[in-house]
Coordinates of all heavy atoms in Angstrom, one line a residue:
M1 N 178.2 204.8 -3.4 CA 178.3 204.8 -1.9 C 179.7 205.2 -1.5 O 180.7 204.7 -2.0 CB 178.0 203.3 -1.4 CG 178.2 203.2 0.1 SD 177.8 201.5 0.7 CE 176.1 201.6 0.9
T2 N 179.7 206.1 -0.6 CA 181.0 206.6 -0.1 C 181.6 205.6 0.9 O 180.9 204.8 1.4 CB 180.9 208.0 0.5 OG1 180.1 207.9 1.8 CG2 180.2 209.0 -0.4
V3 N 182.9 205.8 1.2 CA 183.5 205.0 2.2 C 182.8 205.1 3.5 O 182.6 204.2 4.3 CB 185.0 205.3 2.3 CG1 185.7 204.6 3.5 CG2 185.7 205.0 1.0
R4 N 182.5 206.4 3.9 CA 181.7 206.7 5.1 C 180.4 205.9 5.2 O 180.1 205.3 6.2 CB 181.5 208.2 5.2 CG 180.7 208.6 6.4 CD 180.4 210.1 6.4 NE 179.7 210.5 7.6 CZ 178.4 210.6 7.6 NH1 177.6 210.2 6.6 NH2 177.8 211.0 8.7
D5 N 179.7 206.0 4.1 CA 178.4 205.3 4.0 C 178.6 203.8 4.2 O 177.8 203.1 4.9 CB 177.7 205.5 2.7 CG 177.2 207.0 2.5 OD1 177.0 207.6 3.6 OD2 177.1 207.4 1.4
E6 N 179.6 203.2 3.6 CA 179.9 201.8 3.7 C 180.3 201.4 5.1 O 179.8 200.4 5.7 CB 181.1 201.4 2.8 CG 181.4 199.9 2.8 CD 182.5 199.5 1.8 OE1 182.8 200.3 0.9 OE2 183.0 198.4 2.0
I7 N 181.1 202.2 5.8 CA 181.4 201.9 7.2 C 180.2 202.0 8.1 O 180.0 201.1 8.9 CB 182.5 202.9 7.7 CG1 183.8 202.6 6.9 CG2 182.7 202.8 9.2 CD1 184.9 203.7 7.2
L8 N 179.4 203.0 7.9 CA 178.2 203.2 8.7 C 177.2 202.0 8.5 O 176.6 201.5 9.4 CB 177.5 204.5 8.5 CG 178.3 205.7 9.0 CD1 177.6 207.0 8.6 CD2 178.4 205.7 10.5
A9 N 177.1 201.6 7.2 CA 176.3 200.4 6.9 C 176.8 199.2 7.6 O 176.0 198.4 8.1 CB 176.2 200.2 5.4
R10 N 178.1 199.0 7.6 CA 178.6 197.8 8.3 C 178.4 197.9 9.8 O 178.1 196.9 10.5 CB 180.1 197.7 8.1 CG 180.5 197.3 6.7 CD 182.0 197.2 6.5 NE 182.3 196.8 5.1 CZ 183.5 196.6 4.7 NH1 184.6 196.7 5.5 NH2 183.8 196.4 3.4
V11 N 178.5 199.1 10.4 CA 178.3 199.2 11.8 C 176.8 198.9 12.1 O 176.5 198.2 13.1 CB 178.6 200.7 12.3 CG1 178.1 200.9 13.7 CG2 180.1 200.9 12.2
R12 N 175.9 199.5 11.3 CA 174.5 199.2 11.5 C 174.2 197.7 11.4 O 173.4 197.2 12.2 CB 173.6 200.0 10.5 CG 173.6 201.5 10.8 CD 172.6 202.2 9.8 NE 172.9 203.6 10.0 CZ 173.6 204.4 9.1 NH1 174.1 203.8 8.0 NH2 173.7 205.7 9.3
A13 N 174.8 197.1 10.4 CA 174.5 195.6 10.2 C 175.1 194.8 11.4 O 174.4 193.9 11.9 CB 175.2 195.1 9.0
A14 N 176.2 195.2 12.0 CA 176.8 194.5 13.1 C 175.9 194.7 14.4 O 175.9 193.9 15.3 CB 178.2 195.0 13.4
L15 N 175.2 195.8 14.5 CA 174.4 196.1 15.6 C 172.9 195.8 15.5 O 172.1 196.1 16.3 CB 174.6 197.6 16.0 CG 176.0 198.1 16.4 CD1 176.0 199.6 16.6 CD2 176.4 197.3 17.7
A16 N 172.6 195.2 14.3 CA 171.2 195.0 14.0 C 170.5 194.1 15.0 O 169.3 194.3 15.3 CB 171.1 194.4 12.6
D17 N 171.2 193.2 15.7 CA 170.5 192.3 16.6 C 170.5 192.8 18.0 O 170.0 192.2 19.0 CB 171.2 190.9 16.6 CG 172.6 191.0 17.1 OD1 173.2 192.1 17.0 OD2 173.2 189.9 17.5
R18 N 170.9 194.0 18.2 CA 170.9 194.7 19.6 C 169.7 195.6 19.7 O 169.3 196.2 18.8 CB 172.2 195.5 19.8 CG 173.4 194.6 19.7 CD 174.5 195.3 20.4 NE 175.7 194.5 20.4 CZ 176.3 194.0 21.5 NH1 175.8 194.4 22.7 NH2 177.4 193.3 21.5
P19 N 169.2 195.7 21.0 CA 168.1 196.6 21.2 C 168.6 198.0 21.0 O 169.8 198.3 21.3 CB 167.7 196.3 22.6 CG 168.9 195.7 23.3 CD 169.6 195.0 22.2
P20 N 167.7 198.9 20.7 CA 168.1 200.3 20.6 C 168.4 200.9 21.9 O 167.9 200.4 22.9 CB 166.8 201.0 20.0 CG 165.7 200.1 20.3 CD 166.3 198.7 20.4
P21 N 169.4 201.9 22.0 CA 169.7 202.4 23.2 C 168.6 203.2 23.8 O 167.7 203.7 23.1 CB 170.9 203.4 22.9 CG 170.7 203.7 21.4 CD 170.1 202.5 20.8
P22 N 168.5 203.4 25.1 CA 167.4 204.1 25.8 C 167.6 205.6 25.4 O 168.7 206.1 25.2 CB 167.6 203.9 27.3 CG 169.1 203.6 27.4 CD 169.5 202.9 26.1
P23 N 166.5 206.3 25.3 CA 166.6 207.8 25.0 C 167.3 208.5 26.1 O 167.2 208.2 27.3 CB 165.1 208.2 24.9 CG 164.4 207.2 25.7 CD 165.1 205.9 25.6
V24 N 168.1 209.5 25.8 CA 168.9 210.3 26.7 C 168.2 211.7 26.7 O 168.1 212.3 25.7 CB 170.4 210.4 26.3 CG1 171.1 211.3 27.3 CG2 171.0 209.0 26.3
P25 N 167.8 212.2 27.9 CA 167.2 213.5 27.9 C 168.3 214.6 27.7 O 169.5 214.4 28.0 CB 166.7 213.6 29.4 CG 167.5 212.7 30.2 CD 167.9 211.6 29.2
P26 N 167.9 215.7 27.1 CA 168.8 216.8 26.9 C 169.4 217.3 28.3 O 168.7 217.2 29.3 CB 168.0 217.9 26.2 CG 166.6 217.5 26.4 CD 166.5 216.1 26.7
P27 N 170.7 217.7 28.3 CA 171.3 218.1 29.6 C 170.5 219.2 30.3 O 170.4 219.2 31.5 CB 172.6 218.6 29.2 CG 172.9 217.9 27.9 CD 171.6 217.7 27.2
S28 N 169.9 220.1 29.6 CA 169.1 221.1 30.3 C 167.9 220.6 31.0 O 167.4 221.3 31.9 CB 168.7 222.2 29.2 OG 167.9 221.6 28.3
A29 N 167.4 219.5 30.6 CA 166.2 218.9 31.2 C 166.6 218.0 32.4 O 165.7 217.6 33.2 CB 165.4 218.1 30.2
A30 N 167.8 217.7 32.6 CA 168.2 216.8 33.6 C 168.6 217.5 34.9 O 169.2 218.6 34.9 CB 169.4 216.0 33.2
G31 N 168.2 216.9 36.1 CA 168.6 217.5 37.3 C 170.1 217.1 37.7 O 170.7 216.4 36.9
T32 N 170.5 217.6 38.8 CA 171.9 217.4 39.2 C 172.3 215.9 39.3 O 173.3 215.4 38.7 CB 172.2 218.0 40.6 OG1 171.9 219.4 40.5 CG2 173.7 217.9 41.0
Q33 N 171.4 215.1 39.9 CA 171.6 213.7 40.0 C 171.6 213.0 38.6 O 172.5 212.2 38.3 CB 170.6 213.0 40.9 CG 170.8 211.5 41.1 CD 172.1 211.1 41.8 OE1 172.6 211.9 42.6 NE2 172.6 210.0 41.4
E34 N 170.6 213.4 37.8 CA 170.6 212.8 36.5 C 171.8 213.2 35.7 O 172.3 212.3 34.9 CB 169.3 213.3 35.8 CG 168.0 212.7 36.4 CD 166.8 213.4 35.9 OE1 166.8 214.6 35.5 OE2 165.7 212.7 35.9
R35 N 172.3 214.4 35.8 CA 173.5 214.8 35.1 C 174.7 213.9 35.5 O 175.5 213.5 34.7 CB 173.8 216.3 35.3 CG 172.9 217.2 34.5 CD 173.3 218.6 34.7 NE 172.3 219.4 34.0 CZ 172.3 220.7 34.0 NH1 173.2 221.4 34.7 NH2 171.4 221.4 33.4
A36 N 174.8 213.7 36.8 CA 175.9 212.9 37.3 C 175.8 211.5 36.7 O 176.8 210.9 36.3 CB 175.9 212.8 38.8
E37 N 174.6 210.9 36.6 CA 174.4 209.6 36.1 C 174.7 209.6 34.6 O 175.3 208.7 34.1 CB 172.9 209.2 36.3 CG 172.6 208.9 37.7 CD 171.1 208.6 38.0 OE1 170.4 208.6 37.1 OE2 170.8 208.4 39.2
L38 N 174.3 210.7 33.9 CA 174.6 210.8 32.4 C 176.2 210.9 32.2 O 176.7 210.2 31.3 CB 173.9 212.0 31.8 CG 172.4 211.9 31.6 CD1 171.9 213.2 31.1 CD2 172.1 210.7 30.7
V39 N 176.8 211.6 33.0 CA 178.3 211.8 32.9 C 178.9 210.4 33.2 O 179.9 210.0 32.4 CB 178.8 212.8 33.8 CG1 180.4 212.8 33.9 CG2 178.4 214.2 33.4
A40 N 178.5 209.7 34.2 CA 179.0 208.4 34.5 C 178.8 207.4 33.3 O 179.6 206.6 32.9 CB 178.4 207.8 35.8
L41 N 177.6 207.5 32.7 CA 177.2 206.6 31.6 C 178.1 206.9 30.4 O 178.7 206.0 29.8 CB 175.8 206.8 31.2 CG 175.3 206.0 30.0 CD1 175.4 204.5 30.3 CD2 173.8 206.3 29.7
L42 N 178.3 208.2 30.1 CA 179.1 208.6 29.0 C 180.6 208.1 29.2 O 181.2 207.6 28.3 CB 179.1 210.1 28.8 CG 180.1 210.7 27.8 CD1 179.8 210.2 26.4 CD2 180.1 212.2 27.8
S43 N 181.1 208.3 30.4 CA 182.4 207.9 30.8 C 182.6 206.4 30.6 O 183.6 205.9 30.0 CB 182.7 208.3 32.2 OG 184.0 207.9 32.6
D44 N 181.6 205.6 31.1 CA 181.7 204.1 30.9 C 181.7 203.8 29.4 O 182.4 202.9 29.0 CB 180.5 203.5 31.6 CG 180.6 203.5 33.1 OD1 181.7 203.8 33.6 OD2 179.5 203.3 33.8
R45 N 180.9 204.4 28.6 CA 180.8 204.1 27.2 C 182.1 204.5 26.5 O 182.6 203.7 25.6 CB 179.6 204.7 26.5 CG 178.3 204.1 27.0 CD 177.1 204.6 26.3 NE 175.9 203.9 26.7 CZ 174.7 204.2 26.4 NH1 174.5 205.3 25.6 NH2 173.7 203.5 26.9
L46 N 182.7 205.6 26.8 CA 183.9 206.0 26.2 C 185.0 205.0 26.6 O 185.9 204.7 25.7 CB 184.3 207.4 26.7 CG 183.4 208.5 26.1 CD1 183.7 209.9 26.8 CD2 183.6 208.7 24.6
V47 N 185.1 204.6 27.8 CA 186.1 203.6 28.3 C 185.9 202.3 27.5 O 186.9 201.7 27.1 CB 186.0 203.4 29.8 CG1 186.8 202.2 30.2 CG2 186.5 204.6 30.5
D48 N 184.6 201.9 27.2 CA 184.4 200.7 26.4 C 185.0 200.8 25.0 O 185.4 199.8 24.4 CB 182.9 200.5 26.3 CG 182.2 199.9 27.6 OD1 183.0 199.5 28.4 OD2 181.0 200.0 27.7
Y49 N 185.1 202.0 24.5 CA 185.7 202.3 23.2 C 187.2 202.5 23.3 O 187.8 203.0 22.4 CB 185.0 203.4 22.5 CG 183.6 203.0 21.9 CD1 182.5 203.4 22.6 CD2 183.5 202.3 20.8 CE1 181.2 203.1 22.1 CE2 182.3 201.9 20.3 CZ 181.1 202.3 21.0 OH 179.9 202.0 20.5
R50 N 187.7 202.2 24.5 CA 189.2 202.4 24.7 C 189.6 203.9 24.7 O 190.7 204.2 24.3 CB 190.0 201.5 23.8 CG 189.7 200.1 24.0 CD 190.7 199.2 23.2 NE 190.3 197.8 23.3 CZ 190.1 197.0 22.3 NH1 190.3 197.4 21.1 NH2 189.8 195.8 22.5
A51 N 188.7 204.8 25.0 CA 189.1 206.2 25.0 C 189.6 206.5 26.4 O 189.3 205.9 27.4 CB 187.8 207.0 24.7
S52 N 190.5 207.5 26.4 CA 191.0 208.0 27.7 C 190.0 209.0 28.2 O 189.6 209.9 27.5 CB 192.4 208.6 27.5 OG 192.8 209.2 28.7
V53 N 189.6 208.9 29.5 CA 188.6 209.8 30.0 C 189.3 210.5 31.2 O 189.8 209.9 32.1 CB 187.4 209.0 30.5 CG1 186.4 210.0 31.2 CG2 186.7 208.3 29.4
S54 N 189.2 211.9 31.2 CA 189.7 212.7 32.3 C 188.5 213.5 32.8 O 187.8 214.2 32.1 CB 190.7 213.7 31.8 OG 191.8 213.0 31.3
R55 N 188.2 213.4 34.1 CA 187.1 214.1 34.7 C 187.7 215.2 35.7 O 188.4 214.8 36.6 CB 186.2 213.2 35.5 CG 185.5 212.3 34.5 CD 184.5 211.3 35.2 NE 183.4 212.1 35.8 CZ 182.4 211.5 36.4 NH1 182.4 210.2 36.5 NH2 181.4 212.2 36.9
V56 N 187.5 216.4 35.3 CA 188.1 217.5 36.1 C 187.0 218.6 36.3 O 186.1 218.7 35.5 CB 189.3 218.1 35.4 CG1 190.5 217.1 35.3 CG2 189.0 218.7 34.1
G57 N 187.2 219.4 37.2 CA 186.3 220.6 37.5 C 186.6 221.7 36.5 O 187.7 221.7 35.8
P58 N 185.8 222.7 36.5 CA 185.9 223.9 35.6 C 187.3 224.6 35.8 O 187.9 225.1 34.9 CB 184.8 224.8 36.0 CG 183.8 224.0 36.7 CD 184.6 222.8 37.3
D59 N 187.8 224.6 37.1 CA 189.0 225.3 37.3 C 190.3 224.6 36.7 O 191.3 225.2 36.5 CB 189.2 225.5 38.8 CG 189.2 224.1 39.6 OD1 188.4 223.2 39.2 OD2 190.0 224.0 40.6
R60 N 190.1 223.3 36.4 CA 191.3 222.6 35.8 C 191.0 222.2 34.4 O 191.9 221.6 33.8 CB 191.5 221.3 36.6 CG 192.0 221.6 38.1 CD 192.4 220.4 38.9 NE 193.1 219.4 38.1 CZ 192.9 218.1 38.2 NH1 192.0 217.6 39.0 NH2 193.6 217.2 37.5
L61 N 189.9 222.6 33.8 CA 189.6 222.2 32.4 C 190.6 222.7 31.4 O 191.1 221.9 30.6 CB 188.2 222.7 32.0 CG 187.7 222.3 30.6 CD1 187.7 220.8 30.4 CD2 186.4 223.0 30.3
A62 N 190.9 224.0 31.4 CA 191.8 224.5 30.4 C 193.2 223.9 30.5 O 193.8 223.5 29.4 CB 191.9 226.0 30.5
G63 N 193.7 223.7 31.7 CA 195.0 223.1 31.8 C 195.0 221.6 31.4 O 196.0 221.1 30.8
T64 N 194.0 220.9 31.7 CA 193.9 219.5 31.3 C 193.8 219.4 29.8 O 194.5 218.5 29.2 CB 192.6 218.8 32.0 OG1 192.8 218.9 33.4 CG2 192.5 217.4 31.6
V65 N 193.0 220.2 29.1 CA 192.9 220.1 27.7 C 194.2 220.5 27.1 O 194.7 219.8 26.1 CB 191.7 221.1 27.2 CG1 191.8 221.2 25.7 CG2 190.4 220.5 27.6
A66 N 194.9 221.5 27.6 CA 196.2 221.9 27.0 C 197.2 220.8 27.2 O 197.9 220.5 26.2 CB 196.7 223.2 27.8
G67 N 197.2 220.1 28.3 CA 198.1 219.0 28.5 C 197.8 217.9 27.6 O 198.8 217.3 27.0
L68 N 196.6 217.5 27.4 CA 196.2 216.4 26.5 C 196.5 216.7 25.1 O 197.0 215.9 24.3 CB 194.7 216.0 26.7 CG 194.4 215.5 28.0 CD1 192.8 215.4 28.1 CD2 195.0 214.1 28.2
L69 N 196.3 218.0 24.6 CA 196.6 218.4 23.3 C 198.1 218.4 23.0 O 198.6 218.2 21.9 CB 195.9 219.7 22.9 CG 194.4 219.7 22.8 CD1 193.9 221.1 22.5 CD2 193.9 218.7 21.8
G70 N 198.8 218.7 24.1 CA 200.3 218.8 24.0 C 200.9 217.4 23.6 O 202.0 217.4 23.0
E71 N 200.2 216.3 23.8 CA 200.7 215.0 23.5 C 200.4 214.6 22.0 O 200.9 213.7 21.5 CB 200.0 214.0 24.4 CG 200.3 214.2 25.9 CD 199.5 213.3 26.8 OE1 198.9 212.4 26.3 OE2 199.6 213.5 28.0
A72 N 199.5 215.4 21.4 CA 199.0 215.0 20.0 C 199.9 215.6 18.9 O 200.4 216.7 19.1 CB 197.6 215.5 19.8
A73 N 200.2 214.9 17.9 CA 201.0 215.4 16.8 C 200.2 216.4 15.9 O 200.7 217.4 15.5 CB 201.4 214.2 15.8
V74 N 198.9 216.2 15.7 CA 198.0 217.1 15.0 C 196.7 217.2 15.7 O 196.2 216.2 16.2 CB 197.8 216.5 13.5 CG1 196.8 217.4 12.8 CG2 199.1 216.3 12.8
V75 N 196.2 218.4 15.8 CA 194.9 218.6 16.4 C 194.0 219.4 15.5 O 194.5 220.2 14.7 CB 194.9 219.2 17.8 CG1 195.6 218.4 18.8 CG2 195.6 220.6 17.7
V76 N 192.7 219.1 15.5 CA 191.8 219.9 14.7 C 190.9 220.6 15.8 O 190.3 220.0 16.6 CB 190.9 219.0 13.8 CG1 189.9 219.8 13.1 CG2 191.8 218.3 12.8
V77 N 190.8 221.9 15.7 CA 190.1 222.7 16.7 C 189.1 223.7 16.0 O 189.4 224.1 14.9 CB 191.0 223.5 17.6 CG1 191.9 222.6 18.4 CG2 191.9 224.5 16.8
P78 N 188.0 224.0 16.6 CA 187.1 225.0 16.1 C 187.8 226.4 16.2 O 188.6 226.6 17.0 CB 185.9 224.9 16.9 CG 186.4 224.3 18.2 CD 187.5 223.4 17.9
A79 N 187.4 227.3 15.3 CA 187.9 228.6 15.3 C 187.8 229.3 16.6 O 188.6 230.2 17.0 CB 187.3 229.4 14.2
D80 N 186.7 229.0 17.4 CA 186.5 229.8 18.6 C 187.0 229.0 19.9 O 186.6 229.3 21.0 CB 185.0 230.1 18.8 CG 184.1 228.8 18.8 OD1 184.6 227.7 18.5 OD2 182.9 229.0 19.1
A81 N 187.9 228.1 19.7 CA 188.5 227.3 20.8 C 189.3 228.3 21.7 O 190.0 229.2 21.1 CB 189.4 226.2 20.3
P82 N 189.1 228.2 23.0 CA 189.9 229.1 23.9 C 191.4 228.9 23.6 O 191.9 227.8 23.6 CB 189.5 228.6 25.3 CG 188.2 228.0 25.1 CD 188.3 227.3 23.8
P83 N 192.1 230.0 23.4 CA 193.6 230.0 23.1 C 194.4 229.3 24.2 O 195.4 228.6 23.8 CB 194.0 231.4 22.9 CG 192.8 232.2 22.8 CD 191.6 231.4 23.4
D84 N 194.0 229.4 25.4 CA 194.8 228.8 26.5 C 194.7 227.2 26.4 O 195.6 226.6 27.0 CB 194.4 229.3 27.9 CG 192.9 229.2 28.2 OD1 192.1 229.1 27.3 OD2 192.6 229.2 29.4
W85 N 193.8 226.7 25.7 CA 193.7 225.2 25.5 C 194.9 224.7 24.7 O 195.3 223.6 24.7 CB 192.4 224.8 24.9 CG 191.2 224.9 25.8 CD1 191.1 225.5 27.0 CD2 190.0 224.4 25.6 NE1 189.9 225.4 27.5 CE2 189.1 224.7 26.7 CE3 189.4 223.6 24.5 CZ2 187.8 224.3 26.8 CZ3 188.1 223.2 24.6 CH2 187.3 223.6 25.7
L86 N 195.4 225.6 23.8 CA 196.5 225.2 22.9 C 197.9 225.5 23.3 O 198.8 225.3 22.6 CB 196.2 225.8 21.5 CG 194.8 225.5 20.9 CD1 194.6 226.3 19.7 CD2 194.6 224.0 20.6
T87 N 198.0 226.0 24.5 CA 199.4 226.5 25.0 C 200.4 225.4 25.0 O 201.6 225.6 24.8 CB 199.3 227.2 26.3 OG1 198.7 226.3 27.3 CG2 198.5 228.4 26.3
G88 N 200.0 224.2 25.4 CA 201.0 223.1 25.5 C 201.2 222.3 24.2 O 202.0 221.4 24.1
H89 N 200.5 222.7 23.1 CA 200.5 221.9 21.9 C 201.6 222.5 21.0 O 201.7 223.7 20.7 CB 199.2 221.9 21.1 CG 199.2 221.2 19.9 ND1 199.4 219.8 19.8 CD2 199.2 221.6 18.6 CE1 199.4 219.4 18.6 NE2 199.2 220.5 17.8
H90 N 202.5 221.6 20.5 CA 203.6 222.0 19.7 C 203.6 221.4 18.3 O 204.4 221.6 17.5 CB 205.0 221.7 20.3 CG 205.1 222.3 21.7 ND1 205.2 223.7 21.9 CD2 205.1 221.8 22.9 CE1 205.3 223.9 23.2 NE2 205.2 222.8 23.8
G91 N 202.5 220.7 18.0 CA 202.4 220.0 16.7 C 201.5 220.9 15.7 O 201.3 222.1 16.0
A92 N 201.0 220.3 14.7 CA 200.2 221.0 13.7 C 198.8 221.3 14.3 O 198.2 220.4 15.0 CB 200.1 220.2 12.4
I93 N 198.2 222.4 13.9 CA 196.9 222.8 14.3 C 196.1 223.0 13.0 O 196.5 223.8 12.1 CB 196.8 224.0 15.2 CG1 197.6 223.8 16.5 CG2 195.4 224.5 15.4 CD1 197.7 225.0 17.3
R94 N 195.0 222.4 12.9 CA 194.2 222.5 11.7 C 192.8 223.0 12.1 O 192.3 222.8 13.1 CB 194.1 221.2 10.9 CG 195.5 220.8 10.4 CD 195.4 219.7 9.4 NE 196.7 219.5 9.0 CZ 197.2 218.3 8.8 NH1 196.5 217.2 8.9 NH2 198.4 218.1 8.4

């Protein structure tokens, strides 16, 4: 058993007495109102996990991502990440 498998087994055991989460429709199947509700639900769940959540429009997305990455010491990005997202980052990129 790998460390990953052990951690996932512990998480599953800790959540064993909870009901399963409701199914989430794929974004393409959701209407505008349903998408807004899904975004709100995701945001609430991320905040529950003490994540920082930033909600911005498409015109501010690149700048917001660049600013947030600028605060990180190391970031891991996919090969096709838009280059303007990394403009504020001065740490290691993997």
Side-chain angles (χ1 to χ4, degrees):
M1 177 179 275
T2 67
V3 172
R4 178 183 180 273
D5 293 335
E6 183 178 343
I7 291 170
L8 290 175
R10 288 182 184 182
V11 169
R12 286 185 194 103
L15 298 174
D17 63 338
R18 298 203 177 239
V24 178
S28 60
T32 304
Q33 180 63 30
E34 291 170 332
R35 285 186 186 172
E37 291 171 3
L38 288 174
V39 169
L41 178 62
L42 173 62
S43 179
D44 288 346
R45 289 185 178 172
L46 290 170
V47 168
D48 285 344
Y49 285 104
R50 297 186 185 130
S52 175
V53 176
S54 299
R55 293 180 68 175
V56 298
D59 57 324
R60 293 185 42 219
L61 180 61
T64 300
V65 171
L68 293 170
L69 292 181
E71 300 171 10
V74 177
V75 296
V76 177
V77 297
D80 60 348
D84 55 338
W85 288 12
L86 303 174
T87 57
H89 180 67
H90 302 292
I93 297 174
R94 298 192 177 141

